[in-house]
Amino acid sequence: MLEAGVPAPAFSLPDADMEPFDLIASRGRHVILFFYPKDDTPGCTLEAAEFSDHEEEFARHGCLVVGISRDDCFKHAEFRDKHGLSVRLLSDAEGEVCRMYGVWKAREVDGHKRMGILRSTFVIDRNGIVRHAFYGITPRGHVMEMLELVKQMERQDGHARREKHRRHTELPRVGSGREPH
């Protein structure tokens, strides 16, 4: 399982339109990476719809929202179109990225152990560092919690930029640039 402060594992996966998404190419923006078990199920639909409903607000705070499941690209396209989803949905058909992020887990369903995706969300900062890792989340209300975290990160980033600028402008000047006579 990933923890806050570690570099986010790099990957490239196809989206619902079979266009590649490369996590490294998103550097410079915050990324919400949400893993969900299966397209078109109640909890997954709720989560993807809520992220889509607030996608513009995430974007205003410099954040890209991306969902990942093991469904194929065609299933993602059907799911997106059926529910009017706008967030980018990536296909991890082989489960490699799910394993890298520690979300591929054994669970018991009807008395049988099966492998599946543990609903999880990762908040990745502009430098590719995992700032928050949430495993086993509940969809209801989760999106607004993530939006608040992104807003906090933006405020912290803004404060850090202002502080850096302040330190730079307060550096003592050395000499006037003219030689003494």
Side-chain angles (χ1 to χ4, degrees):
M1 292 182 127
L2 295 180
E3 295 183 11
V6 301
F11 66 86
S12 181
L13 289 173
D15 67 12
D17 296 318
M18 293 187 266
E19 295 293 324
F21 171 86
D22 188 335
L23 183 64
I24 291 174
S26 67
R27 293 265 167 93
R29 298 178 73 185
H30 300 302
V31 177
I32 294 283
L33 195 58
F34 71 98
F35 288 83
Y36 63 99
K38 190 169 177 57
D39 287 344
D40 219 11
T41 58
C44 300
T45 301
L46 173 67
E47 184 178 22
E50 285 189 7
F51 271 121
S52 290
D53 289 346
H54 296 283
E55 186 178 28
E56 286 182 23
E57 194 167 357
F58 279 102
R60 279 195 302 273
H61 294 284
C63 185
L64 180 65
V65 179
V66 181
I68 299 178
S69 80
R70 293 200 53 189
D71 293 299
D72 66 32
C73 297
F74 298 112
K75 184 97 166 76
H76 279 337
E78 289 173 7
F79 179 49
R80 176 196 63 199
D81 296 345
K82 177 179 178 181
H83 296 284
L85 304 174
S86 59
V87 293
R88 202 158 179 194
L89 302 175
L90 307 181
S91 174
D92 184 21
E94 301 301 316
E96 181 181 335
V97 176
C98 291
R99 285 186 283 281
M100 288 170 26
Y101 279 78
V103 303
W104 188 243
K105 299 285 183 187
R107 6 179 247 182
E108 194 167 313
V109 179
D110 298 327
H112 299 88
K113 279 201 173 194
R114 293 183 14 195
M115 295 299 289
I117 293 177
L118 177 64
R119 189 183 313 279
S120 304
T121 303
F122 301 88
V123 182
I124 301 166
D125 72 14
R126 296 176 188 281
N127 299 312
I129 303 298
V130 174
R131 294 277 294 269
H132 302 278
F134 299 95
Y135 291 90
I137 65 100
T138 302
R140 191 165 310 283
H142 178 67
V143 171
M144 295 311 293
E145 292 171 8
M146 297 303 98
L147 183 56
E148 283 306 311
L149 287 175
V150 168
K151 288 177 180 179
Q152 285 176 6
M153 289 169 54
E154 273 299 286
R155 285 191 295 271
Q156 290 168 353
D157 287 353
H159 177 72
R161 283 191 297 272
R162 285 189 301 278
E163 187 64 24
K164 183 178 177 182
H165 177 73
R166 185 186 63 75
R167 282 195 310 266
H168 178 71
T169 58
E170 290 180 358
L171 289 176
R173 297 194 185 268
V174 179
S176 63
R178 291 182 270 168
E179 292 293 319
H181 293 261

